[in-house]
Amino acid sequence: MAKPEKVRLIANEDLKILLEKGTKINYETKIELFKDLKLPIKKGDAVGIIKAVEGEKVYAQAQVIVDQDINKATYFDLLEKMFKIYLNLR
């Protein structure tokens, strides 16, 4: 379990797609997180890739980084979470 439980993911650069004038595409963005992530993760570490895709065609991609440090939750963090759930304070 990690602390904090939620973090913002940020592309480390803008996704830019260069097209001929008048060309339109129907792209979507996909985020693929790396499978071998280990705690702790430091602010600015790459945790995945964001892609602008249409079908199987990838138009642009960039690394995804975290905006804050992520550490392993301690025993006391887990105990606090259990009490909050038990007391319905979440």
Side-chain angles (χ1 to χ4, degrees), residues 21-37:
K21 189 173 184 175
T23 304
K24 294 186 179 186
I25 60 171
N26 186 23
Y27 73 92
E28 60 183 347
T29 54
K30 292 187 177 182
I31 296 176
E32 297 175 4
L33 296 177
F34 300 144
K35 297 193 184 311
D36 58 350
L37 295 172

Side-chain angles (χ1 to χ4, degrees), residues 41-58:
I41 299 172
K42 298 295 178 197
K43 178 180 179 177
D45 284 352
V47 294
I49 296 176
I50 185 169
K51 298 179 181 182
V53 298
E54 180 182 40
E56 295 297 315
K57 182 167 175 125
V58 178

Side-chain angles (χ1 to χ4, degrees), residues 21 29-30 49 51 72 77 82-83 86 90:
K21 189 173 184 175
T29 54
K30 292 187 177 182
I49 296 176
K51 298 179 181 182
K72 277 188 172 181
D77 295 328
M82 287 179 10
F83 276 123
Y86 179 73
R90 206 158 202 237

